Amino acid sequence: MAKKWSKRKVFRIIWLSFGSLFFIWNWNTFQSHQLPENTFLNNDLVSVLETDDQITFTSALPENKLEVIFFQGGLTDPKAYAPLCRKIAEKGFTCHLIKMEWRLPQYRYQEVFKFIDLKAGNYVIGGHSQGGKMAAQMVHENPTLFKGLFLMGTSHPRDIDLSNQPIPCIKLYADRDGLASVEEVMENKSKLPKNSNLILIAGGNHSQFGYLGQLLMDSSSKISLEEQQKQTIHHLITFMNSIKMKV
């Protein structure tokens, strides 16, 4: 005769089942979702090359000497930012989407020096969330190396002070961002480079800065993914065009 399961054993199985389902759901939100079909296709405007270290979206406009280094968010699939990087390239700026080891930008972020000669070109650097933090860290450690800094959906710089850096900077933040709230962004405003341009995306959230699922603790957006991406692209391109004139 089969032994009856104890209440403790039943509870343990239920707990483990829910825990496993929660982990799977949470991990799935960090994956790329709903990527446009042409994201990785070559055409007359953009060519795409993927390696172990980066996905490069090369612009067909050779006269533009300004290029972009993009750092992914923490734990996120780097491909979630591929549509954004492609749009940047379509507007004339070759964009290097950096693949971070273990999807963690805070570790070995300086590996980018091994496969891109940053000292030989004109680069703007930036990223989303934790990627924005490490882009700011790169500027802090290499104050004369980059032509501009862009930050998306992040409360950083928080632990470093860039207020004395003359570098052009833009920061995009959203009022529905549950991971980098407006209050947190404003708390650290004084640590940004002087004359930084802070732009609020009304109705946007943290997750829609990439093609991601809704991340844990993020708020629901009040605008579509397409609309948030459209506004993000517009402001980034305006920023980069202002730097292009000086390069």
Side-chain angles (χ1 to χ4, degrees), residues 70-85:
F70 192 102
F71 283 175
Q72 65 176 89
L75 296 179
T76 58
D77 178 3
K79 291 183 179 180
Y81 306 100
L84 179 67
C85 292

Side-chain angles (χ1 to χ4, degrees), residues 119-228:
K119 296 180 180 180
N122 297 296
Y123 292 94
V124 172
I125 191 170
H128 175 227
S129 193
Q130 196 76 13
K133 173 185 177 180
M134 302 322 299
Q137 185 68 32
M138 282 283 280
V139 170
H140 179 67
E141 296 173 1
N142 306 275
T144 63
L145 189 58
F146 299 100
K147 302 299 182 182
L149 170 67
F150 64 93
L151 305 171
M152 300 161 42
T154 181
S155 59
H156 294 275
R158 186 182 62 202
D159 307 318
I160 57 175
D161 189 347
L162 299 180
S163 60
N164 291 322
Q165 299 281 7
I167 188 171
C169 177
I170 185 173
K171 186 169 194 176
L172 305 179
Y173 63 107
D175 59 2
R176 302 287 297 170
D177 192 324
L179 284 82
S181 68
V182 173
E183 291 76 16
E184 290 173 312
V185 169
M186 291 301 144
E187 282 178 8
N188 299 316
K189 180 180 177 181
S190 63
K191 295 181 180 179
L192 289 166
K194 292 179 180 178
N195 301 318
S196 291
N197 190 10
L198 277 73
I199 297 177
L200 174 67
I201 296 184
N205 68 1
H206 192 83
S207 307
Q208 289 186 169
F209 280 115
Y211 278 67
L212 299 160
Q214 184 166 320
L215 301 174
L216 183 66
M217 297 181 65
D218 197 11
S219 301
S220 297
S221 63
K222 291 188 175 180
I223 59 175
S224 67
L225 168 63
E226 292 74 19
E227 177 60 26
Q228 185 164 341

Side-chain angles (χ1 to χ4, degrees), residues 89-102:
E90 288 176 353
K91 297 298 184 180
F93 303 92
T94 290
C95 188
H96 304 268
L97 174 55
I98 308 303
K99 296 179 179 180
M100 296 295 183
E101 188 171 5
W102 299 104

